[in-house]
């Protein structure tokens, strides 16, 4: 129990879609020890994003069974912002636009909200600017992005980089990256991977959702899980990525059926 | 005191603690008997020691009012108002028109202190003693109107040195009768509309501002209105005259105790700008909006109009409307002088059962006159909000321009927002542009913000402030910050 970090057991969730219930997660089992990076791969519509939403606390999904704990706390009992304060971060597959909301202002409000919740001092404007400039430089983002409205008119790749910027500024201990590699050019992919790798630490874990083996060349995961029809149907080491790339999901799907 | 504590307890037990200005001041009042007739008007006029001409003016307005019917075209609904069931004059007893702060009833001073209205000149001027790094607030001259009378006006001497007159209008009637007589009713005639006529008949106090030729008013002026007495209406009258090349920035704020019954507030504001003059008029309207079931609240039926009489004169209205059960208000500009500029920046927030029908009129008479309208409407709960705007280009308004942008933001799905633009152009060379959008705060946006650590309330505040940015930036700096907080408080409990 001492090394327990992220622990998901028998997690079931549904959504009511126009009056009819739709079961999406059907018993997800997953453990991520502290300090490890795991990857999830799996066919479209298998429930990967849903899993990330449920862990982050999106209310339109109803949890119908199972448990999810993080650092020994019952995640499912917490509000989304409490989960964020605890250290959970989700880089969205489709980052949301906030018209009229200045990106830097949003980021500073968020950073100070989690800092307050974690009992840390808030960053004043100068300290914040210094910290954010350092990160944008790392991520090869122009300062112009900070002046614009959150995700409004950002290109696909810019949105993903902005997610990584937020992740780094919010100093999470458990980051879920939902297809953060999609839409990135080759250089950006390397930069983003470096952004994750440099966070690696004994008290930091990540769950990387991806369709591409290529990302996993840069972020080498400790474990890879295959998700299908709302369940983890197979798990293996980093070599599993190459195998999936070559053979597809057919074999595992057949075995699971 | 016990009455205040009692009110506060009662209010808290009702769970409607979001309106933080709802307390009541326990003070002895001089009340006119209920009812509205010529005697009432004579009594008001006598109490104010008014000259004969003004009494005549009031009686004329009263006759006009009696022949008029309440307007019904606005998209608001309320039970009929019994105009006989209210007091038309309510003033704190003690001396009328105190000359200095020392003469003001301490209970009143405490009231304004609680409301965060700076009445102590010294406290404001003591900026030098502030801790290092902390800047002193820029001094603001305040006229504090409590029910029917002005209780104190600050910084009068400083302003007088600059030649600026800033005083209660009742005093201006006494001390500057020629100015008042020349301009009163010159922008909003007594029979302009039902509520303006009523106001003209029974107005009690308000502010008078006169800025002489070439003078830039050395500080912000502001009037703070407080309704306290029960079963009273408040009918204030404000008149601002700015001569050639002069300028002023004026702010108006208002609050009222929480009460179960509705109270009527029918003000008239008249602005006059001569050649190259500029008037910036900002309002943060925070009358009690009623409780979450729509009980109580102020009926805010107001006529505000500015005349850009001179060439290149400019009048800019900025309003943040968060309070009142019903708001009916169309601050307008009559652009007479060639090259005159009119602006209207508005944020109107309605929550619970509030109703707002607000907008502006831009009447272009002169050549090359320009107007800009930016109206942001936010509706939450079961509230209903309408933007109603008129842009009229008259035959002589060659080369005139208008740009209008109306945006509505809906929170939840039980509220309504409507945009009613009227455009009339009688000049071929005049140009009118109109843009409108409607959007909603989505679950996606809220979840995104909360995932980043923001509470739901902060998330709504951030999105709403983003939505209103173009208007808030028009407010004087310190009020912009207060307005932002106010927006958030008004929308508390509107989501989830
Ligand atoms: N809000 C919703 N309403 C209706 N159906 C939904 C909703 N959210 C998810 N689903 C359905 O649940 C299933 C799983 O969706 P999810 O987005 O979790 O898949 P995914 O594994 O992330 O897919 P992809 O690889 O394409 O991103 C899909 O069939 C999807 O249509
Ligand atoms: Mg997905």
């Amino acid at each position: 129990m001492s090394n327990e970090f992220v622990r998901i057991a028998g997690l079931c969730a549904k959504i009511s879609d126009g009056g009819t219930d739709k079961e999406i997660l059907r018993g997800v089992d997953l453990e991520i020890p502290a300090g490890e990076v795991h990857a999830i791969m799996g066919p479209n519509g298998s429930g990967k994003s849903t899993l990330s939403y449920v862990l982050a606390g999106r209310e339109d999904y109803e949890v119908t069974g199972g448990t999810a704990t993080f650092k020994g706390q019952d995640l499912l009992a917490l509000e989304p912002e409490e989960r964020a304060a605890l250290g959970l971060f989700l880089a969205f597959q489709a980052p949301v636009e906030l018209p009229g909301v200045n990106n830097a202002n949003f980021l500073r409000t968020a950073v100070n909200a989690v800092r307050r919740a974690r009992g840390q001092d808030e960053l004043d404007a100068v300290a914040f600017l210094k910290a954010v400039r350092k990160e944008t430089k790392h991520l090869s983002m122009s300062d112009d992005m900070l002046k614009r409205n959150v995700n409004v008119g950002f290109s696909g790749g810019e949105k993903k980089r902005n997610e990584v910027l937020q992740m780094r500024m919010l100093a999470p201990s458990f980051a879920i990256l939902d297809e953060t590699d999609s839409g990135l050019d080759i250089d950006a992919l390397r930069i983003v991977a470096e952004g994750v790798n440099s966070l690696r630490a004994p008290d930091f874990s990540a769950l990387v959702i991806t369709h591409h083996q290529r990302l996993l060349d840069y972020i080498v995961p400790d474990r890879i899980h295959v998700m299908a029809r709302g369940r983890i149907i197979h798990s293996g080491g980093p070599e599993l990525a190459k195998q999936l790339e070559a053979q597809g999901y057919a074999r595992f799907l057949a075995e699971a059926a | 005191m016990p009455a205040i504590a009692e009110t506060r307890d009662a209010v808290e037990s009702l769970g409607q603690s979001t309106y933080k200005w709802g307390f009541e001041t326990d003070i002895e009042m001089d009340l006119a008997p209920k009812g509205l007739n010529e005697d009432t008007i004579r009594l008001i006029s006598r109490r104010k020691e008014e000259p004969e001409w003004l009494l005549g003016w009031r009686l004329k307005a009263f006759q006009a009012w009696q022949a008029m019917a309440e307007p019904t075209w606005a998209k608001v609904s309320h039970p009929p108002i019994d105009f006989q069931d209210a007091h038309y004059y309510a003033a704190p007893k003690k001396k009328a028109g105190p000359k200095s702060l020392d003469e003001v009833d301490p209970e009143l001073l405490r009231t304004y202190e609680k409301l965060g209205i700076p009445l102590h000149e010294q406290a404001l001027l003591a900026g030098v003693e502030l801790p290092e790094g902390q800047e002193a607030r820029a001094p603001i001259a305040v006229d504090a109107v409590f029910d029917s009378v002005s209780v104190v006006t600050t910084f009068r001497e400083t302003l007088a040195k600059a030649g600026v007159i800033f005083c209660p209008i009742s005093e201006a009637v006494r001390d500057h009768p020629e100015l008042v007589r020349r301009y009163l009713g010159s922008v909003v005639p007594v029979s302009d509309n039902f509520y303006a006529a009523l106001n003209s008949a029974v107005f009690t106090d308000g502010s008078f501002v006169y800025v002489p030729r070439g003078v830039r008013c050395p500080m912000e002026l502001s009037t703070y209105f407080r309704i306290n007495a029960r079963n009273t209406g408040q009918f204030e009258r404000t008149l601002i005259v700015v001569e050639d090349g002069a300028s002023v920035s004026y702010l108006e704020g208002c609050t009222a105790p929480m009460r179960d019954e509705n109270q009527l507030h029918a003000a008239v504001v008249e602005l006059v700008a001569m050649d190259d003059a500029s008037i910036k008029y900002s309002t943060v309207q925070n009358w009690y909006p009623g409780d979450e079931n729509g009980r109580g609240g102020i009926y805010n039926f107001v006529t505000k109009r500015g005349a850009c009489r001179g060439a290149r004169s400019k009048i800019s209205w900025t309003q943040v409307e968060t309070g009142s059960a019903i708001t009916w208000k169309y601050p307008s500009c009559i652009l007479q002088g060639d090259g005159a500029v009119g602006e209207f920046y508005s944020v109107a927030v309605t929550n619970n059962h509030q109703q707002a029908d607000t907008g502006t009129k831009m009447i272009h008479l002169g050549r090359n006159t320009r107007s800009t309208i930016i109206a942001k409407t936010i509706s939450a709960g079961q509230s209903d909000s309408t933007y109603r705007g008129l842009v009229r280009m008259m035959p002589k308004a060659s080369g005139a321009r208008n740009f209008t942008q109306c945006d509505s933001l809906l929170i939840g799905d039980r509220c309504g927002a409507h945009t009613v633009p009227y455009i009339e152009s009688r000049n071929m060379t005049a140009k009118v542009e109109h843009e409108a959008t409607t959007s909603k705060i989505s679950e996606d946006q809220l979840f995104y913000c909360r995932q980043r650590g923001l509470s739901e309330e902060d998330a709504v505040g951030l999105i709403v402030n983003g939505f209103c940015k173009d208007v808030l930036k028009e407010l004087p700096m310190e009020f912009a910050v207060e307005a932002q907080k106010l927006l958030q408080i008004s929308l508390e409990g509107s989501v989830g």
Side-chain angles (χ1 to χ4, degrees), chain A residues 197-219:
Chain A
N197 287 333
S198 62
L199 287 178
R200 281 199 181 217
D203 56 355
F204 171 82
S205 294
L207 182 60
V208 178
I209 299 170
T210 183
H211 287 297
H212 306 290
Q213 176 264 325
R214 202 182 50 186
L215 175 71
L216 304 180
D217 286 343
Y218 294 109
I219 305 175

Side-chain angles (χ1 to χ4, degrees), chain A residues 48-49 93 178-179 209:
Chain A
K48 303 180 298 296
S49 293
Q93 181 173 357
D178 191 356
E179 297 198 27
I209 299 170

Side-chain angles (χ1 to χ4, degrees), chain A residues 15 17 22 24 43-50 61 93 179 211:
Chain A
I15 193 155
D17 184 11
K22 188 167 168 185
I24 305 175
N44 292 132
S46 56
K48 303 180 298 296
S49 293
T50 301
Y61 297 94
Q93 181 173 357
E179 297 198 27
H211 287 297

Side-chain angles (χ1 to χ4, degrees), chain A:
Chain A
M1 276 289 159
S2 62
N3 192 26
E4 184 181 298
F5 203 61
V6 178
R7 197 186 140 91
I8 301 158
L11 190 62
C12 297
K14 64 175 188 186
I15 193 155
S16 86
D17 184 11
T20 55
D21 282 354
K22 188 167 168 185
E23 248 190 293
I24 305 175
L25 301 184
R26 303 165 189 212
V28 176
D29 296 307
L30 181 63
E31 267 181 61
I32 309 174
E36 293 196 0
V37 172
H38 288 202
I40 291 188
M41 303 182 80
N44 292 132
S46 56
K48 303 180 298 296
S49 293
T50 301
L51 175 63
S52 69
Y53 283 147
V54 169
L55 293 178
R58 206 176 155 135
E59 275 149 13
D60 24 2
Y61 297 94
E62 189 191 335
V63 175
T64 51
T67 58
T69 58
F70 175 40
K71 298 189 207 169
Q73 290 212 47
D74 177 7
L75 261 191
L76 304 177
L78 300 178
E79 296 293 327
E81 58 270 32
E82 294 170 326
R83 302 181 198 201
L86 195 60
L88 186 146
F89 180 89
L90 169 61
F92 285 60
Q93 181 173 357
V96 178
E97 298 185 0
L98 302 176
V101 180
N102 171 274
N103 205 20
N105 184 28
F106 175 69
L107 196 52
R108 185 170 162 218
T109 311
V111 165
N112 283 334
V114 300
R115 287 184 73 95
R116 256 196 324 273
R118 291 171 190 168
Q120 298 164 320
D121 286 339
E122 295 188 24
L123 294 185
D124 63 27
V126 178
F128 169 79
L129 215 61
K130 210 173 133 196
V132 81
R133 286 258 159 78
K134 197 174 122 210
E135 296 298 344
T136 48
K137 211 171 136 210
H138 265 299
L139 295 167
S140 306
M141 289 170 71
S142 72
D143 278 358
D144 180 51
M145 305 278 292
L146 292 171
K147 290 183 201 133
R148 288 166 61 181
N149 294 333
V150 180
N151 294 322
V152 178
F154 286 22
S155 75
E158 286 169 340
K159 282 184 181 167
K160 297 303 173 81
R161 258 188 246 215
N162 199 40
E163 293 290 289
V164 176
L165 172 67
Q166 293 178 8
M167 174 180 79
R168 296 192 55 95
M169 291 296 296
L170 289 167
S173 44
F174 177 39
I176 306 170
L177 293 98
D178 191 356
E179 297 198 27
T180 305
D181 54 331
S182 307
L184 290 182
D185 63 47
I186 298 160
D187 293 334
L189 187 66
R190 210 175 292 137
I191 291 165
V192 164
E194 168 53 28
V196 177
N197 287 333
S198 62
L199 287 178
R200 281 199 181 217
D203 56 355
F204 171 82
S205 294
L207 182 60
V208 178
I209 299 170
T210 183
H211 287 297
H212 306 290
Q213 176 264 325
R214 202 182 50 186
L215 175 71
L216 304 180
D217 286 343
Y218 294 109
I219 305 175
V220 181
D222 297 286
R223 303 280 294 165
I224 297 180
H225 309 276
V226 178
M227 188 161 185
R229 297 191 204 99
R231 250 189 224 124
I232 303 293
I233 56 164
H234 186 83
S235 300
E239 70 290 344
L240 186 57
K242 292 231 159 50
Q243 193 185 336
L244 288 171
E245 182 89 351
Q247 302 171 359
Y249 295 113
R251 198 191 105 202
F252 297 113
L253 287 174
E255 273 175 20

Side-chain angles (χ1 to χ4, degrees), chain B residues 46 77 79 100 207 209 212 223 225 283 324 344 440 459 467 473:
Chain B
R46 210 164 41 238
S77 64
S100 76
S207 301
V209 176
T223 302
F225 296 99
T283 305
S324 299
F344 175 74
K440 266 186 111 150
F467 176 75
K473 73 175 202 291

Side-chain angles (χ1 to χ4, degrees), chain B residues 352-417:
Chain B
N352 298 318
H353 292 265
Q354 282 176 274
Q355 308 171 54
D357 193 306
T358 183
T360 185
K361 286 188 227 168
M362 292 290 174
I363 313 293
H364 291 253
L365 296 166
R367 274 179 292 137
N368 299 318
T369 46
R370 280 173 293 137
S371 63
T372 304
I373 299 171
I374 311 265
K376 305 277 180 176
T377 302
I378 300 156
S379 321
Q382 300 174 53
S383 67
D384 205 49
S385 193
T386 301
Y387 166 80
R388 189 182 303 276
L390 167 69
V391 177
R392 179 180 290 153
M393 300 294 186
M394 298 302 276
K396 292 203 181 104
S398 304
R401 299 256 175 293
N402 162 267
F403 173 75
T404 300
Q405 166 99 42
C406 297
D407 299 316
S408 314
L409 184 68
L410 303 173
I411 303 175
D413 44 24
R414 292 179 304 164
C415 52

Side-chain angles (χ1 to χ4, degrees), chain B residues 423-434:
Chain B
I423 298 168
E424 299 171 15
S425 186
R426 291 157 68 186
N427 185 302
M428 297 278 285
T429 64
K431 248 199 191 144
V432 179
E433 265 179 274
H434 180 95

